[in-house]
Amino acid sequence: MLTIVSHRAPVIDEFYPSTLLSIVYPSGKDVVLGNQLTMVDTAQVPEVTFISDDPNATYTLVMVGLVCERVREGFPSTSEFRPTNQQFGQWRHWVVTNISGAAPSIASAEQHTPYIGPGPGPDTGVHRYLFLLYKQTRGITQFRVMPHEKPHRRYFKAREFAAENGLELVSANFFLCENKA
């Protein structure tokens, strides 16, 4: 079972992953459940792959960012970071909808929210970037249009988006990024 919390409020509900979500950036860097990547590593749209257990299903991929704090200094474990009560909440970096389960491909799906790579402000600490893969329980769906400008991406809530659109979480992956400039 997996759960992710942001300052006492769940970012996602507890769930049992049913597929592996693989994310590889053009830089050659993989996202591996909490590894540290740089802004340069993650600047371009990654390749996303997963194996669908239902070829007739459709999926949605969501990428959100959270500011984190180190729970204990001196420990390299990614479990030592937890999301904080940040000023803007979850940042909506990318949303891809209506991904076919028969041939899962981000390239042939609908780019609901264009990709914006990580851009943590200087000395704002560690940021956690989550990739959330949802099965669309209502099949192919026309999602509500959301503005793409940066100010409108600041207050996204993955749980509410999932509930509004009949999405069932089936996999997740994440990495950490920090701007020490």
Side-chain angles (χ1 to χ4, degrees):
M1 184 177 308
L2 181 63
T3 187
I4 298 172
V5 176
S6 174
H7 192 65
R8 298 186 192 100
V11 173
I12 59 173
D13 292 320
E14 292 182 347
F15 77 105
Y16 291 96
S18 61
T19 188
L20 177 66
L21 180 58
S22 172
I23 296 112
V24 180
Y25 279 93
S27 64
K29 302 288 183 166
D30 292 330
V31 174
V32 187
L33 295 175
N35 58 324
Q36 190 115 14
L37 299 176
T38 68
M39 290 185 294
V40 172
D41 293 338
T42 58
Q44 297 177 345
V45 174
E47 179 180 333
V48 177
T49 56
F50 64 93
I51 297 173
S52 171
D53 63 350
D54 180 357
N56 297 315
T58 51
Y59 296 85
T60 291
L61 177 74
V62 174
M63 178 185 172
V64 295
L66 305 163
V67 177
C68 297
E69 66 182 344
R70 186 181 287 274
V71 178
R72 294 185 292 184
E73 288 297 326
F75 290 87
S77 168
T78 58
S79 65
E80 297 303 321
F81 294 95
R82 75 169 166 238
T84 63
N85 185 12
Q86 55 186 327
Q87 180 181 2
F88 300 119
Q90 297 172 39
W91 184 280
R92 177 173 40 104
H93 282 268
W94 194 26
V95 179
V96 182
T97 62
N98 296 315
I99 304 165
S100 169
S105 169
I106 299 301
S108 62
E110 296 174 24
Q111 300 292 317
H112 180 274
T113 300
Y115 182 82
I116 291 181
D123 299 315
T124 57
V126 175
H127 292 234
R128 180 180 292 168
Y129 296 89
L130 306 171
F131 290 90
L132 306 169
L133 181 67
Y134 296 92
K135 184 182 278 189
Q136 296 175 199
T137 62
R138 300 175 190 154
I140 294 175
T141 303
Q142 182 65 40
F143 289 82
R144 177 178 53 87
V145 174
M146 291 185 261
H148 301 312
E149 294 79 24
K150 288 183 180 181
H152 298 283
R153 293 178 180 230
R154 291 182 177 157
Y155 306 102
F156 187 72
K157 293 181 176 146
R159 285 180 78 208
E160 288 179 15
F161 179 77
E164 288 171 8
N165 293 290
L167 304 177
E168 173 190 333
L169 191 59
V170 295
S171 193
N173 205 338
F174 71 100
F175 67 93
L176 303 173
C177 187
E178 183 174 14
N179 182 351
K180 295 181 182 181

